[in-house]
Amino acid sequence: MSSKVTKSRITRRFAKLKEQNRAALVPFITANDPNADVFGQILEGLPAAGADLIELGMPFSDPMADGPSVQLSSQRALKAGVTLQGVLDTVAAMREWEMDTPIILMGYYNPIYRYGPEEFAKAAAEAGVDGLIVVDLPPEEAEELNQHLRDNGLHMIFLAAPTTDTTRLPRVLEHASGFLYYVAVKGVTGTKSADMVQVGAAVAAIRKETNLPIGVGFGIRTAEQAAEMAAFADATVVGSAIVDIITDGLNDNSEADAGLSARVLDFVKTLSDGVRGARASAMTQAASGGGS
Amino acid sequence: MVEARNTLRDEPSESGHFGLFGGRFVAETLMPLILEVEQAYAAAQADPDFATELTGFLTTYAGRPSPLYFAERLTEHFGGAKIYFKRDELNHTGSHKINNCLGQILLAKRMGKTRIIAETGAGQHGVAAATVCARFGLECIVYMGAKDIERQKPNVFRMNLLGAEVRPVEKGSETLKEAMNEALRDWVANVDDTYYLIGTAAGPHPYPSIVRDFQSVIGEEVRVQMEEAEGRLPDTLVACIGGGSNAIGLFHPFLDDTDVRLIGVEAAGKGIACGEHAASITGGNPGVLHGNRTFLLQDNDGQIRDAHSISAGLDYPGIGPEHAWLHLQGRVDYVSASDTEALAAFQLCSQLEGILPALEPSHALSYVGKIAPELGNDHLLVMNLCGRGDKDVFTVADALGANL
């Protein structure tokens, strides 16, 4: 692993959170959803609202692992004319005023493949991107992109799922970097609720095999759920619940009402408060015998 | 550079790649399942009982072998090559799709799966999947684009009669691409009990190989039947291509017979130049979709473009990865035929041979009409008549301005 990666924003951020004994909140939004203006307002407000890392969706015409919420947001962003280059430009613009919050891009491989994996890795690093989640690149296919990400000091963040058994887990961990993303439900994004007991056991099992921080996403919709996850995970990702607020704030012509970005940021703040309070309340409960 | 090789029939590699193409581009949640399917298929191949059982069903249930028919009047009409039809439209359910469905349903049963999902375009695969599910008593859910449901109503009702649930997909172009997205989403959400019965020679490894193997019965029969009819191998094989399962089934047993010319006919829709077509090789570029790398219709930003074809079965912006590879190898010629040309061939075949072909093989026949006159009358040409046209009468009536 290159020294660039070990000193990365993601590594530094998780180290700092460990000192604070709390998990990260990672909000997901699709780049340029619902349009460049509203998205810009949301992005600008996210660090102050308590986003410890930011996951930006790279829109794709065929998001096969996503449920209806993220599918809609992807379609809106594409309709608003966003391109992969546009996503990188957005990150570069953000880096002019925000240097500490890691940015992770999440999406599907084809737009990256079309851009050129090597060119993309260079451009993403220059723009100030810190990591990539490419849903349809399992470890078996990932090296053609990951070699260039490594060369450019970017993390490739791999997914582990409830179906990833103990014989397969080493394969996933072999090239994992930054953090491991545990998919909390068997399903697409935004459709099922995570089962805390099952997820807790899975995270504990994975911890025995890796020192990487473990983030949990899929099926986390409320501040309470985010807090429950944050008691044992290193990061909690919330996506569809945020995207749904955007969807609900649009009229039939996809125009946003004036308060939309503020409502999104308020919701992120409640999620963040939940995550920040999680371990303290878990400890209090344990001390008073109220823990499970 | 094309490397000299001893055989073109030993692809894919162990990792499921046909050169640059193929592979397993799926979410991690599905990866363990794909590996399970691969293992189960390898075990089935190694078990002689599996082949015996499949052959039994192909013979007594599907009606194989399908005849090799000398199309005498079309041969006279075109005045050149001797034209034969491989009559896979005579199979039970009316197309070649049953070959693959019988194989995969036996595999799903071995794996202990109780719920079958499938995607369908024209509805031919959906009908074949619903048929085998009825026969083996398994729950069947078929995803179908809303536009395809509208233009293939007879097949939708057939699926319902067979006890399958047809789920309309009202997203994007409302055709086969979206149906496949939804089927993949269903699979991710129901991994424990569900088997995904993919209908074409595409998708993540091992599906392109599985579907090819089960469809290769077409080409294997043609070898034997042509030997019986003419005492030698054919000179040219022609098949239509959407995902390409009937074509790879016909071609694969002949890949190493380098004297046999292989031609795949894609759907040119309203014309390649205007962009409204489904010809992934003629008008697309390599990309990654639905679990494999192959030629895709896409824009410069890697967003998948909607395909267009009058034939719902060819209306897909990709092609099976082995075809993409065979194209780069130069072993198969990929050409195209338009909506209008296919319609003309549909009418010609109906009137001269008394056979209503599906709109899909009508594309192949249109190209046969272009090359046959140029070939000598000792030239043996086989076209895969992979589906019957009953399902298309509404579409054809509409295109010809007839009111039913």
Side-chain angles (χ1 to χ4, degrees):
Chain A
M1 190 175 286
S2 82
S3 58
K4 274 185 186 169
V5 170
T6 53
K7 287 178 193 162
S8 76
R9 255 187 290 260
I10 293 177
T11 313
R12 288 201 302 267
R13 177 58 48 111
F14 276 108
K16 192 174 157 199
L17 292 170
K18 196 169 184 181
E19 279 172 24
Q20 297 172 2
N21 187 30
R22 69 172 181 91
L25 173 70
V26 187
F28 166 93
I29 42 173
T30 300
N32 270 40
D33 177 34
N35 55 55
D37 284 348
V38 176
F39 171 75
Q41 292 162 17
I42 295 171
L43 188 62
E44 197 176 333
L46 278 178
D52 297 300
L53 294 83
I54 296 171
E55 190 181 328
L56 286 185
M58 300 176 279
F60 182 48
S61 52
D62 296 81
M64 285 156 286
D66 283 299
S69 303
V70 177
Q71 288 172 39
L72 280 175
S73 75
S74 210
Q75 281 168 18
R76 286 193 297 260
L78 287 174
K79 212 173 165 188
V82 72
T83 60
L84 188 52
Q85 185 60 52
V87 176
L88 297 180
D89 293 346
T90 300
V91 175
M94 183 185 180
R95 284 291 174 234
E96 288 177 12
W97 52 266
E98 164 58 64
M99 287 305 291
D100 297 326
T101 306
I103 306 269
I104 298 150
L105 299 185
M106 178 274 191
Y108 297 80
Y109 187 45
N110 197 53
I112 295 171
Y113 179 62
R114 186 81 175 149
Y115 194 105
E118 187 172 3
E119 293 76 9
F120 175 79
K122 276 183 196 157
E126 272 170 30
V129 171
D130 301 287
L132 264 294
I133 299 171
V134 188
V135 180
D136 53 354
L137 277 188
E140 282 80 354
E141 305 287 352
E143 194 52 25
E144 69 177 62
L145 174 64
N146 198 10
Q147 56 178 322
H148 302 299
L149 296 182
R150 274 195 306 269
D151 287 349
N152 288 279
L154 295 174
H155 294 285
M156 183 134 194
I157 294 149
F158 284 96
L159 307 177
T163 50
T164 312
D165 60 20
T166 48
T167 53
R168 180 166 169 76
L169 186 60
R171 183 91 205 242
V172 174
L173 292 172
E174 193 182 345
H175 297 291
S177 153
F179 65 94
L180 186 77
Y181 189 130
Y182 183 74
V183 176
V185 300
K186 289 179 186 170
V188 293
T189 54
T191 51
K192 291 181 182 174
S193 262
D195 172 347
M196 297 296 162
V197 176
Q198 181 269 324
V199 176
V203 169
I206 295 170
R207 258 197 219 292
K208 289 181 189 159
E209 309 297 326
T210 181
N211 293 321
L212 283 177
I214 301 170
V216 179
F218 285 48
I220 306 166
R221 297 194 63 88
T222 65
E224 292 71 30
Q225 288 172 320
E228 278 186 74
M229 287 293 176
F232 55 83
D234 301 305
T236 306
V237 185
V238 181
S240 297
I242 297 174
V243 169
D244 284 345
I245 296 175
I246 298 177
T247 304
D248 293 343
L250 300 175
N251 66 19
D252 291 344
N253 296 320
S254 288
E255 294 155 344
D257 65 62
L260 178 55
S261 54
R263 284 202 303 282
V264 169
L265 293 169
D266 284 347
F267 180 60
V268 172
K269 180 78 170 57
T270 64
L271 294 170
S272 167
D273 290 344
V275 167
R276 280 161 200 260
R279 295 205 191 150
S281 79
M283 273 162 53
T284 314
Q285 279 182 24
S288 63
S292 51
Chain B
M1 269 304 283
V2 176
E3 219 178 301
R5 345 170 19 118
N6 293 324
T7 178
L8 294 168
R9 303 189 65 221
D10 62 354
E11 298 287 323
S13 66
E14 203 174 311
S15 59
H17 293 87
F18 301 87
L20 172 68
F21 303 105
R24 290 175 285 214
F25 295 86
V26 297
E28 174 60 25
T29 311
L30 285 182
M31 212 39 223
L33 271 95
I34 305 266
L35 296 170
E36 189 192 341
V37 172
E38 188 182 348
Q39 282 170 6
Y41 181 55
Q45 280 179 304
D47 179 356
D49 290 347
F50 183 81
T52 305
E53 193 180 9
L54 176 57
T55 304
F57 279 106
L58 286 173
T59 309
T60 63
Y61 190 70
R64 299 211 74 90
S66 69
L68 183 70
Y69 163 72
F70 173 46
E72 192 176 354
R73 296 198 67 209
L74 276 170
T75 299
E76 279 171 20
H77 177 80
F78 292 129
K82 206 168 175 184
I83 298 165
Y84 282 86
F85 286 164
K86 178 61 174 164
R87 300 286 307 272
D88 253 52
E89 101 282 11
L90 290 178
N91 295 335
H92 180 41
T93 74
S95 80
H96 70 291
K97 295 294 187 185
I98 192 77
N99 306 332
N100 168 51
C101 284
L102 279 170
Q104 286 201 51
I105 205 76
L106 294 178
L107 182 62
K109 256 186 32 165
R110 284 172 75 105
M111 294 175 72
K113 302 294 182 184
T114 55
R115 181 176 175 271
I116 303 296
I117 56 170
E119 83 295 336
T120 198
Q124 292 301 89
H125 172 59
V127 166
T131 297
V132 296
C133 286
R135 171 59 184 79
F136 291 93
L138 298 172
E139 184 187 358
C140 182
I141 288 142
V142 180
Y143 288 92
M144 189 168 184
K147 179 180 165 190
D148 289 340
I149 287 181
E150 186 54 37
R151 59 180 166 174
Q152 301 288 347
K153 280 179 192 159
N155 272 346
V156 176
F157 189 57
R158 286 167 81 194
M159 286 184 266
N160 290 334
L161 289 173
L162 292 160
E165 181 193 342
V166 180
R167 290 193 185 164
V169 182
E170 292 161 347
K171 286 169 183 164
S173 62
E174 302 188 339
T175 59
L176 184 53
K177 171 174 81 104
E178 276 69 27
M180 199 150 181
N181 287 340
E182 277 313 296
L184 283 163
R185 288 178 186 125
D186 180 308
W187 204 21
V188 172
N190 298 284
V191 286
D192 296 322
D193 63 349
T194 298
Y195 180 88
Y196 183 12
L197 206 176
I198 294 185
T200 194
H205 176 68
Y207 280 100
S209 314
I210 290 180
V211 178
R212 173 198 70 200
D213 293 350
F214 290 142
Q215 292 295 1
S216 289
V217 65
I218 301 171
E220 284 156 11
E221 286 175 5
V222 167
R223 285 187 84 93
V224 174
Q225 291 169 326
M226 190 54 100
E227 196 69 46
E228 283 169 3
E230 299 277 356
R232 65 180 180 92
L233 291 183
D235 299 301
T236 300
L237 304 177
V238 184
C240 64
I241 299 205
S245 71
N246 92 82
I248 201 71
L250 176 65
F251 297 165
H252 198 260
F254 292 93
L255 287 181
D256 290 337
D257 300 290
T258 47
D259 290 341
V260 181
R261 187 178 176 206
L262 309 175
I263 303 174
V265 186
E266 297 189 298
K270 295 177 182 170
I272 305 288
C274 81
E276 288 190 54
H277 60 85
S280 322
I281 285 186
T282 312
N285 314 91
V288 173
L289 180 72
H290 293 155
N292 60 171
R293 179 166 18 223
T294 187
F295 278 84
L296 299 173
L297 303 182
Q298 55 183 317
D299 67 16
N300 287 332
D301 201 41
Q303 308 297 338
I304 308 304
R305 280 180 25 215
D306 290 337
H308 166 82
S309 171
I310 190 170
S311 143
L314 305 182
D315 200 345
Y316 179 70
I319 185 168
E322 192 160 15
H323 286 295
W325 178 75
L326 288 167
H327 168 61
L328 288 198
Q329 292 288 320
R331 177 64 187 96
V332 180
D333 294 328
Y334 293 90
V335 298
S336 61
S338 70
D339 289 353
T340 317
E341 290 170 327
L343 264 174
F346 178 98
Q347 292 169 275
L348 189 68
C349 186
S350 304
Q351 287 159 15
L352 289 185
E353 294 292 348
I355 298 171
L356 262 63
L359 280 170
E360 291 80 12
S362 296
H363 286 73
L365 183 59
S366 157
Y367 196 76
V368 168
K370 281 185 188 166
I371 59 170
E374 313 293 322
L375 301 167
N377 53 19
D378 58 345
H379 190 101
L380 303 179
L381 186 153
V382 179
M383 188 202 91
N384 197 11
L385 187 49
C386 61
R388 67 177 183 221
D390 308 53
K391 70 181 174 61
D392 292 317
V393 292
F394 295 102
T395 306
V396 172
D398 192 44
L400 299 177
N403 271 323
L404 295 189

